[in-house]
Amino acid sequence: MSEQSPRPRKTGRPYRRPQKDPVRFLAFEALRAVDERDAYANLVLPPLLRKAREKGDFDARDAALATELVYGTLRRQGTYDAIIAACVDRPLREVDPPVLDVLSLGVHQLLGTRIPTHAAVSASVELARVVLGDGRAKFVNAVLRKVAHDDLDTWIEKVAPPYEDDPEDNLAIVHSHPRWVVSALWDSLGGGRAGIEDLLEADNERPEVTLVARPGRSTTEELLREEAAVPGRWSPYAVRLSEGGEPGAVAAVKEGRAGVQDEGSQLVALALANAPLDGSDGYWLDGCAGPGGKAALLAAVAAERGAVLLASEKQPHRAGLVAKALAGNPGPYQVIAADGTRPPWRPGTFDRVLMDVPCTGLGALRRRPEARWRRRPEDLEGFAPLQRDLLRTALESVRVGGVVGYATCSPHLAETRAVVDDVLKQFPQTELIDARPLLPDVPALGEGPDVQLWPHLHGTDAMYLALIRRTG
């Protein structure tokens, strides 16, 4: 931005150069990266925070505020867009994206935090002066002053249609999800209003950081000695960090003996590892292993039983992440870069196979809130052939009597039961195993035999798992 002229304003007040607020400027930088580069906030924000701390601009409270501003703005984007649209005289598509980012940050401060109104408006206008210039800062000021007239509940009453008239559109605005996502999640739940509202609310909550103690390398007892640590809910290897806990400061995590892994992801891997099978149990496959969380847990469990894991990942850079996650495993393992739809191994090679397929990621909207605005219904059509091909590969790769786990971090029926049902029609010599007894302490697992985990019921990502035994 060019430097402003230091001449007096027409009001007679002396010109004051805009002051850069490091917290709000960093939050704006993160939002621009998400918008311009299709980046994910959980990948963009940590290096920005680290750089700010190294420069001495940030303390822990600053980092916490910047994190809340970024994630809160992304989670509530749909609600805030509806409110902003009611306060401007043009369609939102005609408002420059950087201006919308500043406005959204301001609206979140006004309606989603305890920051005083005058401070939220003045800080947002000052940010606009720094990154947009005086002219557009006046526009930001005018819009935010309109927003400040009412609280969030009052605004929602104004901009959301009555639930009785259009329940899906109402829920979409109230809980800040695209309408098609609301519809898809509602179908997957198969329940009433309470279930869908509880799920959408859970998607908008900041998820806990969950660690996994990799067997043979770390223990939950070691991790629980950390100041902010509490036991996991369901996995015997899980430890949760209470708010403010920093996983990078945990010695076992820094050394690779433990990792950051959602408890739902741990449960999927453990259910496959504990599924009953007939015959040998020495050779396991993770056919879509990147970035390596499930592979690392499976490899550690396999090592305890004298089994070997082959971790395969199509993308070489993601295969490198898998190798890093498995480094130091107490038993033998192998990591390769290979296309799971054209595998280099022979059919019938493995005793256990996990195929955690690429998907829309609708089960992890707590962690990647921007994904809800980035995904489109047509994305399902793009994933469908790949998901079916990978499940076919898994069933061809397992020996007779062996077990396949089909997993995905999406509860969308088109990515879960529809895939399993379609593929099993081509493999009549298979049977679904009831996965629920393999998770005996986990409640509300549905009618089975497959398992769908939920953020609002289990505190996990919405992981899906179907276990399939090859019978011939």
Side-chain angles (χ1 to χ4, degrees):
M1 186 190 73
S2 60
E3 183 172 304
Q4 301 290 326
S5 169
R7 64 190 178 194
R9 296 171 180 261
K10 292 182 180 179
T11 59
R13 290 179 295 178
Y15 169 78
R16 179 176 60 82
R17 179 174 296 177
Q19 299 298 306
K20 178 177 170 182
D21 178 333
V23 173
R24 289 164 178 83
F25 184 79
L26 184 146
F28 174 78
E29 280 189 298
L31 292 181
R32 293 309 304 139
V34 169
D35 188 37
E36 290 180 322
R37 307 200 311 264
D38 281 345
Y40 286 103
N42 67 328
L43 301 179
V44 167
L45 192 56
L48 288 175
L49 293 173
R50 185 166 55 250
K51 183 178 179 181
R53 286 193 294 263
E54 290 171 353
K55 290 171 61 179
D57 290 346
F58 268 46
D59 58 21
R61 292 179 61 186
D62 292 330
L65 176 57
T67 300
E68 168 57 30
L69 292 180
V70 172
Y71 279 99
T73 299
L74 289 171
R75 290 190 181 104
R76 287 290 180 179
Q77 178 181 316
T79 305
Y80 295 158
D81 278 355
I83 294 169
I84 293 169
C87 295
V88 301
D89 57 0
R90 71 195 78 164
L92 285 191
R93 65 178 178 274
E94 296 180 9
V95 180
D96 287 344
V99 177
L100 272 179
D101 282 341
V102 173
L103 284 172
S104 297
L105 281 168
V107 173
H108 182 58
Q109 291 171 74
L110 285 169
L111 304 181
T113 74
R114 296 180 180 178
I115 297 172
T117 297
H118 70 277
V121 173
S122 62
S124 300
V125 172
E126 194 73 2
L127 174 65
R129 293 182 69 213
V130 171
V131 300
L132 304 172
D134 273 352
R136 291 190 285 185
K138 293 176 182 177
F139 173 73
V140 168
N141 181 53
V143 173
L144 292 183
R145 290 191 180 281
K146 291 181 183 179
V147 175
H149 286 163
D150 293 306
D151 62 15
L152 180 60
D153 290 339
T154 304
W155 269 117
I156 286 176
E157 289 180 8
K158 290 182 177 182
V159 300
Y163 181 87
E164 294 74 17
D165 294 346
D166 190 337
E168 289 172 334
D169 208 30
N170 172 277
L171 294 173
I173 293 177
V174 171
H175 297 287
S176 191
H177 284 64
R179 180 190 173 99
W180 77 270
V181 173
V182 172
S183 179
L185 294 177
W186 211 340
D187 287 345
S188 299
L189 280 170
R193 176 177 177 177
I196 185 60
E197 288 196 298
D198 290 345
L199 172 57
L200 297 176
E201 287 178 7
D203 273 352
N204 286 329
E205 294 174 359
R206 185 177 179 180
E208 294 175 307
V209 175
T210 305
L211 306 181
V212 57
R214 290 167 178 158
R217 304 174 66 188
S218 180
T219 63
T220 55
E221 289 75 18
E222 176 189 4
L223 298 181
L224 286 170
R225 289 196 288 268
E226 299 294 327
E227 183 176 351
V230 294
R233 293 182 179 88
W234 319 116
S235 166
Y237 305 111
V239 168
R240 295 174 289 141
L241 295 185
S242 58
E243 189 168 349
E246 174 53 56
V250 177
V253 174
K254 288 191 289 187
E255 296 164 5
R257 297 183 293 107
V260 177
Q261 186 178 18
D262 179 73
E263 203 162 357
S265 175
Q266 296 181 40
L267 292 176
V268 163
L270 294 173
L272 172 68
N274 294 329
L277 49 72
D278 301 322
S280 63
D281 192 16
Y283 204 18
W284 300 4
L285 170 68
D286 185 344
C288 289
K294 295 182 186 69
L297 181 54
L298 283 173
V301 174
E304 289 186 327
R305 302 182 190 175
V308 177
L309 177 77
L310 173 64
S312 175
E313 168 57 43
K314 180 178 180 180
Q315 301 296 334
H317 75 281
R318 286 171 62 84
L321 295 176
V322 177
K324 182 178 180 181
L326 270 65
N329 190 67
Y333 64 88
Q334 185 179 5
V335 178
I336 62 172
D339 184 347
T341 65
R342 293 189 293 273
W345 53 82
R346 292 179 298 178
T349 296
F350 301 97
D351 303 300
R352 299 181 191 270
V353 175
L354 175 65
M355 201 62 82
D356 181 7
V357 299
C359 66
T360 57
L362 297 182
L365 297 183
R366 304 178 304 158
R367 302 183 190 283
R368 291 187 167 179
E370 61 278 359
R372 71 185 74 175
W373 314 115
R374 200 170 286 170
R375 290 296 184 197
R376 298 289 182 267
E378 51 268 28
D379 292 338
L380 294 163
E381 299 175 7
F383 283 115
L386 176 60
Q387 291 164 346
R388 285 162 173 77
D389 285 346
L390 289 170
L391 179 52
R392 279 190 285 267
T393 293
L395 292 170
E396 291 166 352
S397 300
V398 74
R399 65 167 176 81
V400 174
V403 176
V404 167
Y406 174 83
T408 183
C409 192
S410 170
H412 199 300
L413 293 174
E415 302 188 89
T416 58
R417 290 180 175 173
V419 174
V420 174
D421 290 345
D422 285 353
V423 174
L424 291 193
K425 292 175 183 176
Q426 304 168 30
F427 288 82
Q429 292 182 307
T430 57
E431 62 180 7
L432 282 166
I433 300 172
D434 192 342
R436 295 171 299 170
L438 299 168
L439 305 173
D441 298 323
V442 184
L445 291 178
E447 298 177 358
D450 51 0
V451 162
Q452 178 66 66
L453 300 172
W454 295 105
H456 65 298
L457 296 177
H458 308 109
T460 68
D461 290 345
M463 293 293 305
Y464 172 84
L465 174 67
L467 293 175
I468 307 161
R469 178 183 289 111
R470 178 94 177 265
T471 58

